[in-house]
Amino acid sequence: MFFELTDTIVDDILFSMEDQGGEWFFDSRNKTVASREMMEEVGLENGLNEDDFYELPVWKSEDGFELMEEFTENLHAPEAHYALRKALSGGRGVFRNFKDVLKRYPEVERRWFLFKNDRMRCRITAWYNGLRESWGLEELEEKYTDVSQETDELLMADFTFSDFDFKDDFSDLERGLSALADGNSELDMTKLFLLRHHSNISEPSEKSGFVCRSQNGDFAGCLLVSNCPPESGETVIITDFFIDRNYRGLGIGRVLLSKAIAALTDRGVHFCFASGILVPETFRLTFEQFGFKKNGPGFVLELSA
């Protein structure tokens, strides 16, 4: 019997698919999900036949494991990525270990739930399209959501973005800079030295920009600029732009960049420069999408004519 796949029905099916201990069916007349026992009981009482029930798409532990692998492989938050990979290779208790790791990274956990929900909904759509084909109807389009890029709305719920305040934020800025070295090798120390040297182009009290913090107030990243040269009001240079390693890959840098550009435009700034050392290779495409163009060893954005 034909039925429309509503959001309510999808939610009921999702809940039942997670229960791998029984067989579940969709009662197309009563628009409800039923176990095999319920199906037989309801059918006998109301004169329904097997054509009124459709077996739900199967969701096995193997499907869940593959989903966790796909999510982890495409996660760009380094520490969480490493911890999740370790959990997936741990053998027994892999599902519990995976969940335990996610609880240490609330923002990543939230992204996981969005990803999982999206993929399971697509599995339901594929199942429903199989039924529509048997009914002689056109298939629905399967839409995968790109959850690798967090929406601005979701970030605003998980983080706060505020104007840089020298008195309140300077100590966190210093700690953040100190944590940028990936190790203790000579190359790491050289990188840190160059980043500090770049940050010291101007006094911290002369900088402006935005700071990002997590819900519990932890410093997550910043983007700061200063006039260049100091007496100029039309040209700025980015002095500090980094994300704490625990929060990388969530879209914070993109939001900081967007806010900074909007603020500089309102100020009437004409040009914004960014040194190449401040722009990771993985983030250069984002800079270009915002209008920055390669210029010597860095990038420049023309804000107004």
Side-chain angles (χ1 to χ4, degrees):
M1 178 180 176
F2 170 76
F3 65 90
E4 291 286 352
L5 188 65
T6 65
D7 288 339
T8 300
I9 290 175
V10 170
D11 288 339
D12 289 343
I13 293 176
L14 278 173
F15 182 80
S16 299
M17 286 172 65
E18 294 267 36
D19 182 356
Q20 301 172 11
E23 295 181 83
W24 295 93
F25 298 82
F26 183 75
D27 180 347
S28 61
R29 288 188 179 272
N30 295 310
K31 306 297 187 295
T32 59
V33 174
S35 64
R36 175 172 290 280
E37 294 76 13
M38 294 168 61
M39 179 190 77
E40 295 173 349
E41 182 179 346
V42 171
L44 289 173
E45 290 179 353
N46 298 284
L48 304 180
N49 56 55
E50 290 188 358
D51 293 337
D52 296 312
F53 294 89
Y54 299 99
E55 187 173 1
L56 297 186
V58 178
W59 186 259
K60 300 179 180 179
S61 58
E62 292 87 347
D63 298 308
F65 185 80
E66 289 179 3
L67 206 62
M68 293 189 297
E69 284 190 317
E70 180 184 353
F71 175 79
T72 302
E73 183 65 27
N74 292 287
L75 180 65
H76 301 295
E79 289 200 359
H81 175 84
Y82 174 79
L84 289 174
R85 281 180 62 98
K86 186 176 180 181
L88 290 175
S89 61
R92 292 189 61 175
V94 62
F95 288 92
R96 170 53 57 190
N97 293 336
F98 189 85
K99 291 180 180 179
D100 289 343
V101 170
L102 286 175
K103 290 185 182 301
R104 305 204 309 260
Y105 304 93
E107 293 79 15
V108 175
E109 183 181 41
R110 186 165 181 172
R111 181 179 290 242
W112 157 251
F113 287 133
L114 287 172
F115 174 83
K116 179 182 177 182
N117 183 274
D118 176 71
R119 292 300 189 265
M120 291 185 72
R121 283 178 177 271
C122 286
R123 176 72 67 89
I124 293 171
T125 300
W127 165 78
Y128 183 62
N129 278 336
L131 297 179
R132 289 180 66 89
E133 183 179 3
S134 69
W135 299 330
L137 299 176
E138 184 178 351
E139 293 185 359
L140 300 179
E141 182 182 357
E142 291 185 43
K143 295 182 179 181
Y144 283 83
T145 302
D146 182 12
V147 295
S148 64
Q149 290 293 330
E150 198 70 85
T151 63
D152 289 353
E153 292 79 8
L154 184 57
L155 279 168
M156 293 305 177
D158 286 338
F159 298 92
T160 59
F161 295 84
S162 57
D163 293 332
F164 173 70
D165 184 285
F166 170 68
K167 292 181 179 179
D168 293 338
D169 301 322
F170 176 67
S171 59
D172 285 320
L173 173 63
E174 281 295 297
R175 281 193 292 270
L177 278 169
S178 299
L180 288 180
D182 296 322
N184 295 316
S185 69
E186 185 174 348
L187 183 61
D188 294 324
M189 293 300 101
T190 301
K191 175 183 175 182
L192 180 58
F193 172 81
L194 291 174
L195 289 171
R196 279 194 170 280
H197 180 73
H198 197 78
S199 179
N200 291 333
I201 288 175
S202 65
E203 293 295 326
S205 58
E206 298 174 354
K207 298 177 182 180
S208 64
F210 295 91
V211 170
C212 175
R213 295 185 181 278
S214 65
Q215 287 181 331
N216 61 9
D218 290 339
F219 182 84
C222 67
L223 191 156
L224 307 180
V225 304
S226 66
N227 291 347
C228 184
E231 63 274 11
S232 171
E234 298 183 349
T235 304
V236 300
I237 185 169
I238 298 177
T239 59
D240 307 86
F241 180 39
F242 58 88
I243 311 300
D244 183 278
R245 65 179 69 252
N246 290 325
Y247 301 106
R248 292 173 189 170
L250 301 176
I252 292 174
R254 178 171 48 82
V255 175
L256 285 170
L257 190 58
S258 176
K259 285 182 169 294
I261 290 174
L264 293 173
T265 302
D266 289 343
R267 280 172 47 184
V269 173
H270 289 179
F271 296 98
C272 177
F273 287 88
S275 170
I277 193 173
L278 290 178
V279 186
E281 189 69 36
T282 55
F283 206 74
R284 295 190 176 184
L285 177 60
T286 302
F287 260 68
E288 293 172 356
Q289 290 172 342
F290 274 94
F292 280 85
K293 295 182 180 179
K294 195 76 173 65
N295 185 280
F299 297 84
V300 61
L301 171 66
E302 185 174 1
L303 294 163
S304 58

